[in-house]
Amino acid sequence: MMKNVIIAHGGAPTAVINASLYGAIKELKESGFDGKIFAPRFGSDGLYNEDFIDLTNLTDEELEILKETPGSAIGSSRFPLYEKEYRHIVGVLIKHNIGYVLFTGGNGTMDTIGNIYKYAKERGVDVTCVGIPKTIDNDIGVTDHAPGFASCAKYIANTVSFCAQDVKGLPIHVSVIEVMGRNAGWLAASSALARKKKGDAPHLIYFPEIPFDENEFIEDVKKCWEKRHGVVVVASEGLKYADGTPIVKPIFKTERATYFGDVSTHLATLIIEKLGIKARSEKPGLICRCDRSLVSKVDQEEAILMGRTSMKAALNHTNGVMAGLKRISTKPYKVEPILIPIEKVMMTEATFPLKYIKDKHDVTDEFIEWLKPLVDEVPDSITFLD
């Protein structure tokens, strides 16, 4: 009797997470798989509670729509799991004749699939566990980058470019744009793609990897203001002082995540109070990870590739791995899919490399060259004001 497959989503959705689901299902259908295809409704929560969506008979038309759908079409969660929950989940897999479990997500989700693999193995249950990488923060270890990041980076770069045109046309204030990435500055760094020439915004970039100094921040903004009277600052949501204290107080906590007040509002207020300069705060927030209109073509293609690669590995009974991307060359851009032992990525965090940071608040040309192939070009804008 053919065993069934489960494909789940974990953690925050992205604009291309469903493209990975599409890729996995396409690989299944093309392989001649004739078992059931289940998706737990809302990720590990649905898996624990045996709340499954049956995707076995999706039509080709539905699959094509799925590929273009942002967010998680099957739901996701941050449902905390411990030993008791994992042992229960292994029982659920046995009950529903599950032979393959795939989870799409970030480093926390890889911890989930790694633990399901561990507890199933301990119990002698024949189930193949494979991870599909996904994160807007690009903080999964080992893989060159992860699907979801490039589309979000494209959104941030475009947002900064559009905001810069506004500020350049009416240079009377400082605009502080807050981007996601609590501990990793990949998205903040990506804002530099907005530049078309020297002097373009962003004028200052603040990374969570570099300790924040309030006096230095005020002095840097002052110098920029005196030079151009219209300044765009990009700041990570996870800025901290040298002692590790967040620059804004936590306002809500869960077991794995801490939610802070608006960093951009705090910084804009500092500018107004310390310099007497008009300042505005901007925060794309969740929009940057669910905007379908700015999806990177490369990101979508690689999301599908990771779905296919993971499912192919599962069907070949390659257990306890995550699919990943190995960069072969940047010019021309070429990557190949790889399989990474799951223990190498479980709860690891790939922060933004210091080698890519220049003068504390900028990025190197090397980083821009690394990023460009992943992100479709930011549209040109014209101005006669320089």
Side-chain angles (χ1 to χ4, degrees), residues 178 237 248-252 259-266 283:
E178 178 181 340
E237 66 178 345
V248 291
K249 293 180 180 180
I251 58 174
F252 183 74
Y259 296 85
F260 301 97
D262 287 352
V263 165
S264 54
T265 299
H266 175 72
K283 186 177 179 179

Side-chain angles (χ1 to χ4, degrees), residues 93 99-102 113-114 116-117 120 127-131 318-321:
L93 301 181
Y100 313 89
V101 179
L102 290 85
I113 193 70
I116 293 173
Y117 165 62
V127 58
T128 302
C129 301
V130 180
T318 306
N319 209 346
V321 296

Side-chain angles (χ1 to χ4, degrees), residues 125-159:
V125 177
D126 182 18
V127 58
T128 302
C129 301
V130 180
I132 306 173
K134 171 266 353 169
T135 173
I136 64 163
D137 294 330
N138 201 40
D139 59 353
I140 301 179
V142 187
T143 184
D144 181 75
H145 57 280
F149 164 66
S151 294
C152 206
K154 180 180 177 181
Y155 182 96
I156 295 299
N158 275 274
T159 297

Side-chain angles (χ1 to χ4, degrees), residues 78-82 252-259:
R78 299 190 191 276
F79 183 65
L81 300 172
Y82 302 100
F252 183 74
K253 288 186 178 182
T254 65
E255 290 193 44
R256 277 200 57 220
T258 300
Y259 296 85

Side-chain angles (χ1 to χ4, degrees), residues 44 47-49 79 81 84-94 103 112 116 123:
S44 52
L47 179 54
Y48 181 84
N49 291 301
F79 183 65
L81 300 172
K84 184 182 82 171
E85 286 79 15
Y86 282 118
R87 294 192 186 284
H88 173 78
I89 283 172
V90 172
V92 171
L93 301 181
I94 296 170
F103 257 87
T112 297
I116 293 173
R123 193 165 167 181

Side-chain angles (χ1 to χ4, degrees), residues 176-180 188 204-206 233-237 239 263 267:
V176 184
I177 302 173
E178 178 181 340
V179 301
M180 301 181 89
L204 295 165
I205 306 173
Y206 288 83
V233 175
V234 172
S236 166
E237 66 178 345
L239 294 184
V263 165
L267 295 179

